[in-house]
Amino acid sequence: MNQEISSRLQADAPIGVFDSGVGGLTVAREIMRQLPNEKIIYFGDTARVPYGSKSQETVTRYSRQIVRFLQTFQVKTIVVACNTASAYALDALEQEFDIPIIGVVKPGAKTAAEVTRNGRIGVIATEATIGSRIYSQYIKELNKDVTIYGKACPLFVPLAEEGLWQDPVTDEIAKRYLTELIDIDIDTLILGCTHYPLIRSTLGKIMGDKVSLVNPAYETAIELKQMLEERGLLNQETPRLGTNQYQFYVSDGAEKFKRFANSIIKYGILSAKTINIEEY
C-alpha cells in the first residue's frame, strides 16, 4: 500500500503543515531548516484556537476539514504540528486519508525514551495533552521502566504569543511551574506544546545543565526527512528564484498572524491569506 501511495505522490509537491494557531510555526521553522528544498503550505486555525479546551470529537472534525483543504494543493504529506490534534485526531486521520501523515508526539516521545538516564521524564504541555496521557502511552511502549511526570503549563502559550520569550514575568511563571519537576529530579523534559520552543532558553536556564530538553518540533522535522527519504519523496531540487516556496493560510486574523510569524521565521513571510475552513 505504501509503495502505491508513494508512486502517485510527487517529490516536488508541497508538505502540508497545520496547527490550531501560531505554535506550529516552530515546527514549520524546523522543517525549513532541515529540509531547505521543500515547499510548505501552512494552515493555522486561528478562528477556532485553542484546541486544548475542545473535545476529541471537535478537534477531529476540525482536523479533517484542514486535511481536506491542504489536499487541494496536492500535498505529498501532512504534518500535524499541534500536540492536541496529534493526541486526539492522528489515528482517525491516518485511517481516513491515503497520504502519509505524521504528528509531533511520537518523535518527541521516542527521543525522550532514548536520552533519559535515570528514567524520570517530565512532560510540560497544555491541559488537554497532559490529560490525554499520550506522551506516557508512547514512551511506555518504548521503555516500560521509565516514570513520566506531566505538568500543565497553560500560561506559557499567552506569554510566548506576546513575545515575552526572555522576560522576568516568564522567568517567574516558569519557576513556579517547574519547581516540582526539579524536586522530583527528572533528567529529561519534553516541550510538549509547539509554543514552548520559543521560551526554550528560559526553560533551560531554570532546569539546569543536567536536564535534557526534548523539542518535538526538531524531532518531527528529522522524522519527516527520514520518511520522505524512505519513500523517495525528498525534493532534491533547489526551488527556482521567484517560486512561492512557503504559503500561509489562516481562518482569522491574517495580519496579526503575519506579524507573529515574521518575528520567529526569518525567511520572509510576505502574506497570509484568510480562508473559510468550514467549507471543507
Side-chain angles (χ1 to χ4, degrees):
M1 183 63 177
N2 285 349
Q3 286 304 115
E4 281 177 41
I5 294 168
S6 295
S7 67
R8 62 179 173 70
L9 298 171
Q10 301 294 319
D12 64 349
I15 293 165
V17 180
F18 80 87
D19 179 47
S20 58
V22 298
L25 289 166
T26 60
V27 180
R29 179 174 67 178
E30 290 296 343
I31 295 169
M32 291 170 185
R33 286 173 178 163
Q34 307 301 326
L35 300 158
N37 292 346
E38 299 295 343
K39 292 182 277 219
I40 295 172
I41 310 291
Y42 182 97
F43 178 78
D45 199 0
T46 44
R48 304 186 295 197
V49 69
Y51 280 9
S53 55
K54 310 278 193 300
S55 68
Q56 181 165 4
E57 187 183 9
T58 298
V59 171
T60 303
R61 179 166 59 84
Y62 289 174
S63 299
R64 282 192 189 104
Q65 291 174 331
I66 296 164
V67 171
R68 286 196 284 265
F69 165 68
L70 291 171
Q71 283 190 309
T72 65
F73 295 91
Q74 279 78 52
V75 293
K76 62 185 175 183
T77 186
I78 287 174
V79 178
V80 184
C82 169
N83 281 270
T84 305
S86 293
Y88 281 177
L90 186 62
D91 288 347
L93 298 177
E94 285 177 332
Q95 286 167 19
E96 292 168 35
F97 296 95
D98 62 346
I99 179 174
I101 301 177
I102 68 171
V104 288
V105 174
K106 282 183 185 176
K110 182 168 171 276
T111 300
E114 287 167 358
V115 302
T116 185
R117 299 173 308 282
N118 70 3
R120 294 166 178 264
I121 298 172
V123 181
I124 52 173
T126 62
E127 298 274 4
T129 302
I130 297 298
S132 74
R133 300 183 60 79
I134 190 80
Y135 275 102
S136 299
Q137 185 187 318
Y138 285 140
I139 293 167
K140 287 281 193 185
E141 283 172 14
L142 298 164
N143 185 348
K144 64 181 190 319
D145 298 325
V146 301
T147 309
I148 295 104
Y149 304 90
K151 176 71 180 171
C153 303
L155 290 174
F156 283 165
V157 170
L159 289 168
E161 291 197 3
E162 286 300 319
L164 301 172
W165 304 338
Q166 292 176 317
D167 189 275
V169 175
T170 308
D171 287 356
E172 184 55 39
I173 298 292
K175 278 176 196 156
R176 290 192 187 195
Y177 280 150
L178 300 174
T179 298
E180 65 186 76
L181 293 176
I182 293 168
D183 292 346
I184 292 163
D185 192 33
I186 63 164
D187 75 348
T188 305
L189 181 66
I190 299 174
L191 313 187
C193 169
T194 50
H195 283 79
Y196 297 178
L198 296 171
I199 57 167
R200 184 188 171 120
S201 62
T202 297
L203 300 175
K205 183 172 64 181
I206 289 164
M207 295 309 297
D209 295 342
K210 291 177 182 171
V211 176
S212 301
L213 299 188
V214 175
N215 176 3
Y218 170 79
E219 304 303 338
T220 300
I222 297 300
E223 183 154 310
L224 173 66
K225 185 176 185 179
Q226 287 172 347
M227 186 269 286
L228 292 175
E229 279 174 342
E230 285 165 11
R231 291 170 179 255
L233 290 172
L234 200 63
N235 191 5
Q236 306 292 353
E237 294 181 18
T238 307
R240 291 193 305 277
L241 236 59
T243 302
N244 194 6
Q245 190 176 358
Y246 306 129
Q247 296 178 53
F248 297 85
Y249 296 86
V250 292
S251 47
D252 194 26
E255 273 306 307
K256 186 181 177 189
F257 173 89
K258 192 176 84 171
R259 284 196 301 276
F260 185 82
N262 276 310
S263 73
I264 68 165
I265 295 177
K266 310 302 181 190
Y267 296 90
I269 293 164
L270 301 176
S271 66
K273 292 179 188 161
T274 305
I275 59 132
N276 181 5
I277 194 65
E278 295 283 2
E279 290 176 354
Y280 292 89

